[in-house]
Amino acid sequence: MKTIIAPSILAADFANLQRDIEMINNSEADWFHVDVMDGAFVPNISFGFPVIEAVKKHAQKPLDVHLMIVKPQRFVEWFAKVGADRITVHYEACTHLHLTIQAIKAAGCKAGVALNPHTPVSVLEDIIGDLDLVLIMSVNPGFGGQEFIHNTYKKIADLKRLIQGVNEDLIIEVDGGVGLQNIAKLVSAGANAFVAGSAVFATENPTETIAKMKQLTNNSVSI
Ligand code: DX5
Ligand code: ZN
């Protein structure tokens, strides 16, 4: 399966957002990862609709919108309207996850579910066939630049098993603390989409870092 690199604009320079968007456009990156935080589900607030709308105007690649907000079903149509191509909601934030996933699809977007580090993949057993993507959080959501949680490898393996014979095209995305140092091992574990914030934007040459990440994923063999 093709591997996806999704730089997180949370780590971009917001005063030079258009410049950073163009950098991603002209790089080997595949998606824009867009982190929305509400100060309730996570202890941080990032940005909302006007910023996403502005990003969409310049982005030449799909917007992978990660909603770290309570009751995300309230805003599914709004996010679709401002340009989300993929919408990922947190399992922990949805009482009616099935309904929320249907709403995302009805709005014309691909649907994903994110799991916090403490949430086992087994909770997705009865909905896995309906999903386009599962986002495994490899840090506690809320901030960029945190240390990668090692148990993620086991969770990827568990998810690989869960999708077998049911939804083998499902995208397994990893978010938090991903960089050149662990991306190959994550591919070997079975992940195929990679969010990277600080690993991309805190380097001298982000375009080159993205190219290196892409190369490492292409050279690694998924099991
Ligand atoms: C964390 C966000 C991540 C974040 C990753 O809550 O969901 O997408 O931007 O940042 P890094 O790659 O710096 O860990
Ligand atoms: Zn994210």
Side-chain angles (χ1 to χ4, degrees):
M1 197 188 276
K2 183 181 177 290
T3 54
I4 305 281
I5 305 290
S8 167
I9 59 162
L10 186 67
D13 178 354
F14 291 151
N16 287 291
L17 198 48
Q18 192 177 347
R19 181 201 64 190
D20 287 354
I21 291 166
E22 292 303 345
M23 183 282 290
I24 295 173
N25 282 340
N26 296 320
S27 76
E28 290 181 46
D30 301 278
W31 299 343
F32 286 79
H33 187 77
V34 179
D35 286 308
V36 180
M37 304 177 182
D38 67 351
F41 182 70
V42 288
N44 194 5
I45 297 176
S46 58
F47 46 74
F49 304 115
V51 172
I52 300 175
E53 218 166 4
V55 171
K56 185 70 178 180
K57 248 185 231 159
H58 301 284
Q60 289 161 13
K61 295 172 182 180
L63 299 195
D64 175 38
V65 177
H66 175 195
L67 298 183
M68 287 161 274
I69 66 175
V70 294
K71 298 186 182 164
Q73 66 273 18
R74 294 169 297 162
F75 296 113
V76 163
E77 281 179 24
W78 292 44
F79 284 107
K81 211 170 154 205
V82 293
D85 295 279
R86 304 181 159 270
I87 298 178
T88 295
V89 294
H90 267 263
Y91 168 82
E92 302 84 1
C94 297
T95 308
H96 296 287
L97 184 59
H98 187 269
L99 259 184
T100 307
I101 294 303
Q102 301 314 316
I104 293 171
K105 290 183 173 175
C109 298
K110 297 281 186 193
V113 173
L115 299 177
N116 277 339
H118 73 276
T119 307
V121 301
S122 57
V123 298
L124 299 178
E125 189 182 338
D126 289 326
I127 201 168
I128 199 74
D130 297 306
L131 305 180
D132 298 298
L133 176 151
V134 171
L135 176 61
I136 297 182
M137 287 308 302
S138 39
V139 297
N140 284 296
F143 301 92
Q146 301 182 76
E147 199 180 323
F148 179 84
I149 296 172
H150 209 77
N151 189 53
T152 304
Y153 295 113
K154 178 212 165 252
K155 284 179 83 165
I156 296 169
D158 289 346
L159 183 54
K160 275 291 258 191
R161 270 192 298 277
L162 192 66
I163 65 175
Q164 247 168 43
V166 188
N167 187 0
E168 292 182 6
D169 292 334
L170 180 114
I171 296 173
I172 301 179
E173 187 173 29
V174 184
D175 185 3
V178 175
L180 293 171
Q181 74 291 352
N182 55 11
I183 196 162
K185 195 167 168 194
L186 287 165
V187 175
S188 304
N192 43 34
F194 306 91
V195 177
S198 45
V200 166
F201 288 99
T203 51
E204 216 160 277
N205 188 336
T207 311
E208 203 176 281
T209 305
I210 292 168
K212 279 187 191 157
M213 291 181 100
K214 194 78 185 179
Q215 198 182 357
L216 280 167
T217 61
N218 289 337
N219 291 345
S220 308
V221 191
S222 172
I223 50 167

